[in-house]
Amino acid sequence: MILRKHNKLNITFCGMMGAGKSIIGNKFAKLIDFNFIDTDTLIVKKTGKSINQIFLDFGEKYFRELEESIIGNVLNKKNYIFSLGGGSMSNKNLRNIIKKNSFNIYLEVDINILSKRLTNSNNRPLINKQNIIKKLTELKSKREKFYKEADLIIKNDKTILDAIEELKKYFNIYD
């Protein structure tokens, strides 16, 4: 019902690590009675290894191939909300599947806010033992052109509730 006018099967949230995709996606899924899948959690479940361990054992290239295979197979589900990994949108095949099947929402967050949110995070292989702001800036500059192709862009620099309220307004959801 919520996606009928957009002719899409599901909703995806994209954006940088720490943007709030999982928590906002999960809360919004409950609000609109959709199922929720965090794609990084799905990868961990399917492989039995943490994202960090996959990166350590096999490298980023292998992880991106695994990500394409696993996510590509679930994006045809209907009435689901997916929280995508930060690098998912860099994959052309995944972008094409997302454009075809999903109403894609980019949660845009300022680098300084992302840095504060991620300072104590130990499960982010791309920023472990790195200058966080420098690495986030580098990643965002590579990915943002893909994020900006989203159907909807929401600034998520404030609270989760603010982002949910914006989503409710956009989709005409009234309590």
Side-chain angles (χ1 to χ4, degrees), residues 31 68 89 127 129 146-147:
L31 181 72
E68 178 181 341
M89 296 303 292
I127 62 169
K129 301 179 180 109
F146 304 124
Y147 295 155

Side-chain angles (χ1 to χ4, degrees), residues 8-56:
K8 302 290 182 172
L9 298 175
N10 57 56
I11 296 172
T12 51
F13 281 91
C14 71
M16 293 289 291
M17 62 183 95
K21 302 177 300 276
S22 296
I23 193 160
I24 290 169
N26 195 13
K27 286 187 180 297
F28 193 59
K30 288 177 183 162
L31 181 72
I32 64 172
D33 201 28
F34 272 35
N35 296 297
F36 174 76
I37 293 177
D38 178 299
T39 59
D40 281 350
T41 301
L42 182 63
I43 290 168
V44 169
K45 189 186 279 186
K46 294 255 186 206
T47 63
K49 292 180 180 264
S50 71
I51 303 295
N52 271 348
Q53 198 60 52
I54 295 168
F55 268 72
L56 282 171

Side-chain angles (χ1 to χ4, degrees), residues 52 79 94 117 143 151 154:
N52 271 348
N79 296 336
L94 284 178
R117 290 180 185 175
R143 298 172 175 175
D151 299 297
I154 297 214

